[in-house]
Amino acid sequence: MNWLWSNLDLVGELMLVHLALSVPAIILSFVASVPIGWLAHRYRWSRGVLLSLCGLLYAIPSLALFVALPPITGLSLRSPLNLVIALTLYGIAVLVRTAADAFDSVEPDVRQSATAMGYSSTGRFWGVDLPLAGPVLVSGLRVVIVSTVSLATVGAVIGVQSLGSLFTDGFQRGIQAEIFTGIVATIVLALALDWACVRIGRLLMPWSRPDAAHRRRSIERVERVDAA
Amino acid sequence: MNLFLDGIAWILDPANWTGVGSIPERIGQHLLISAVVLVIASIIALPAGVAVGHSGRGKEPAVMVSGGLRALPTLGVLTLFALWLGIGLQAPVIALVILAIPPLLAGAYAGLESVDRRTIDAARAMGMREDQIIGKVELPLGMPIVVGGIRSATLQIIATATLAAYVADFGLGRYIFAGLKTRDYAEMLGGSILVIILALAIDGLFAITQRLVVPHGVRAARGSELRSGPSRSRAAMGRPITEGNQE
């Protein structure tokens, strides 16, 4: 505890640095995954290719990706941007599958009704598909938030500052309290971002009451069984 | 791209294939420690996950354990255990086991949970004992998802074992940290390429395994579904039925 009190400034500063690394990566991966996921949903042939590419990307160990990226991007190994790109790629690897599933979960009947009511295909995407896929997208985004915040700490071993610097510094100087503080701070940051994501999701999508989607799906499953 | 050629040249350099810390030795260490960790973590997590998935009891704690552990920063766990236990292999092994538990646990209970309740009721009505239901009905039907959990746990172990070279002298990660210290980018990149190849190869093996463990009956049913295509168009029929309960 003593260590924390005398280093409160450092922890606070690293938390901000950590946010500056992970938040852009989270947002970028979300923005990139929605269209890719929609493509995988819309065109059957692209689904297998896109999802297996994401699977391969996800299988690459983080440290190896951090090292292998600079020759491709032309950035220096210690550049925070390099880390942001790597984290964004991991986020995309997770989110594209969720996004494809999210668009799949929109009822074809609803989509047909929208078309019948005169929605253009772009209008239908923004007015029907995206809002209805929203709750599933948010659940995927929550997974990405937690994993990105935790993964960003790995950058510390190649010299990119973050809360992970508390681990490397604590390890080299033998201060357990410092490492422990780092772990707690990382988890707190992840939970805070997760909480913010849930709040924003509820605010933007008042129809996504917790459980509502799930209940609807289970009812539907029962109906399908009855029909069969 | 030149840098990549340097990395590949480093891998192909015969000097790196013999002696202490040679590429085959490092790959062997990496695989050995990953296998040991996977076995230990499986012994702990799989029975627990199967019990939770079968009985449906204790699901909340299982979800919390697997979700909560996932937020743990791997590097923090590694360095903390290394300080507690000193330089050596125990610290990384324990840390890796802890980090491998969530995907194994989640895969096991999600796999068993994905089995249709009516199939289990039918098995029970036919007079199967609980252990027979688990062994002959739930495990075979849920196996693809269980193997999926083992797959992500293995990838997690291989990735973290690379990182564990920060606190102990083993595995392919050593090349990355050695290169970082001596500013030898070719060595770092060569080590990274080897790690990536290793991870992708093992992921591929698991992808094949996951296909092979689908029970014959399930595969046959899927085939007949495909042959007797719907007479009406998809949109008018409602949502296509999705198999399993992919998490």
Side-chain angles (χ1 to χ4, degrees):
Chain A
M1 259 350 224
N2 276 336
W3 184 91
L4 178 59
W5 293 132
S6 40
N7 291 279
L8 218 49
D9 290 353
L10 174 72
V11 175
E13 190 190 316
L14 287 178
M15 263 192 157
L16 289 180
V17 174
H18 203 94
L19 272 178
L21 286 173
S22 38
V23 172
I26 292 165
I27 293 174
L28 280 175
S29 57
F30 183 74
V31 171
S33 303
V34 169
I36 303 176
W38 188 83
L39 215 66
H41 152 76
R42 180 69 184 76
Y43 301 103
R44 281 250 148 239
W45 56 267
S46 69
R47 190 189 182 92
V49 179
L50 286 172
L51 293 189
S52 7
L53 273 181
C54 289
L56 288 181
L57 192 60
Y58 193 69
I60 295 176
S62 51
L63 186 58
L65 185 66
F66 293 163
V67 175
L69 266 183
I72 302 171
T73 56
L75 293 163
S76 109
L77 184 63
R78 285 180 173 76
S79 148
L81 193 59
N82 179 44
L83 192 69
V84 172
I85 294 174
L87 294 175
T88 307
L89 288 175
Y90 280 119
I92 291 175
V94 176
L95 262 179
V96 165
R97 175 177 287 278
T98 321
D101 289 345
F103 288 119
D104 286 348
S105 76
V106 178
E107 303 286 332
D109 296 350
V110 175
R111 205 172 281 140
Q112 273 198 326
S113 314
T115 312
M117 282 174 67
Y119 272 100
S120 67
S121 53
T122 14
R124 199 186 62 188
F125 175 79
W126 293 106
V128 180
D129 284 335
L130 194 58
L132 287 179
V136 183
L137 284 175
V138 166
S139 70
L141 191 59
R142 295 180 62 187
V143 175
V144 170
I145 287 175
V146 173
S147 66
T148 305
V149 169
S150 152
L151 211 53
T153 59
V154 175
V157 296
I158 51 168
V160 181
Q161 277 235 319
S162 69
L163 282 173
S165 309
L166 296 177
F167 304 150
T168 49
D169 189 63
F171 176 67
Q172 269 150 20
R173 293 163 55 196
I175 310 173
Q176 290 184 10
E178 185 173 3
I179 300 179
F180 194 72
T181 308
I183 295 179
V184 174
T186 312
I187 294 175
V188 167
L189 202 63
L191 292 181
L193 283 178
D194 180 51
W195 179 83
C197 172
V198 172
R199 297 307 307 179
I200 294 172
R202 295 240 177 98
L203 213 64
L204 293 177
M205 299 178 295
W207 56 88
S208 69
R209 289 273 160 271
D211 257 8
H214 182 256
R215 206 177 307 135
R216 199 181 325 124
R217 206 166 302 148
S218 55
I219 290 170
E220 183 202 319
R221 194 170 294 151
V222 172
E223 280 169 356
R224 205 190 294 137
V225 168
D226 290 344
Chain B
M1 273 301 142
N2 250 339
L3 289 168
F4 264 116
L5 292 181
D6 290 347
I8 291 166
W10 180 87
I11 294 177
L12 297 178
D13 187 353
N16 294 323
W17 285 82
T18 49
V20 180
S22 67
I23 291 173
E25 189 192 333
R26 292 281 187 217
I27 292 180
Q29 288 171 345
H30 210 107
L31 286 175
L32 183 68
I33 204 153
S34 301
V36 168
V37 168
L38 185 66
V39 168
I40 299 175
S42 299
I43 291 173
I44 299 170
L46 288 183
V50 166
V52 170
H54 174 69
S55 63
R57 251 171 290 164
K59 201 195 153 193
E60 290 297 313
V63 172
M64 260 167 48
V65 166
S66 60
L69 282 181
R70 228 170 271 192
L72 269 184
T74 51
L75 183 63
V77 179
L78 276 172
T79 46
L80 196 59
F81 274 101
L83 277 194
W84 279 341
L85 302 173
I87 303 283
L89 281 182
Q90 306 104 299
V93 166
I94 295 176
L96 285 166
V97 166
I98 292 176
L99 297 165
I101 286 176
L104 288 171
L105 194 63
Y109 77 65
L112 263 72
E113 218 181 41
S114 74
V115 179
D116 195 324
R117 290 295 110 186
R118 283 162 302 157
T119 312
I120 295 162
D121 289 343
R124 199 167 283 137
M126 282 172 64
M128 281 192 173
R129 291 190 311 272
E130 291 304 302
D131 57 300
Q132 287 176 317
I133 295 178
I134 295 178
K136 292 188 173 166
V137 179
E138 289 182 307
L139 269 181
L141 286 173
M143 200 44 98
I145 299 180
V146 178
V147 173
I150 301 176
R151 180 180 179 180
S152 36
T154 309
L155 289 175
Q156 160 97 55
I157 293 170
I158 290 177
T160 313
T162 318
L163 197 57
Y166 185 70
V167 299
D169 178 22
F170 81 92
L172 290 167
R174 230 25 255 173
Y175 294 130
I176 298 179
F177 291 111
L180 196 64
K181 206 169 258 173
T182 56
R183 299 181 175 276
D184 181 352
Y185 199 76
E187 184 178 1
M188 289 180 79
L189 202 54
S192 299
I193 294 172
L194 288 174
V195 171
I196 292 174
I197 294 174
L198 187 73
L200 292 184
I202 289 182
D203 189 46
L205 281 181
F206 270 104
I208 296 169
T209 316
Q210 238 174 329
R211 289 218 176 157
L212 290 180
V213 296
V214 175
H216 272 296
V218 175
R219 219 175 301 166
R222 272 185 207 170
S224 66
E225 262 170 34
L226 287 177
R227 274 195 296 277
S228 60
S231 50
R232 283 193 285 167
S233 80
R234 273 270 160 79
M237 295 232 340
R239 230 147 58 92
I241 296 169
T242 46
E243 284 108 356
N245 194 359
Q246 245 102 41
E247 208 195 352

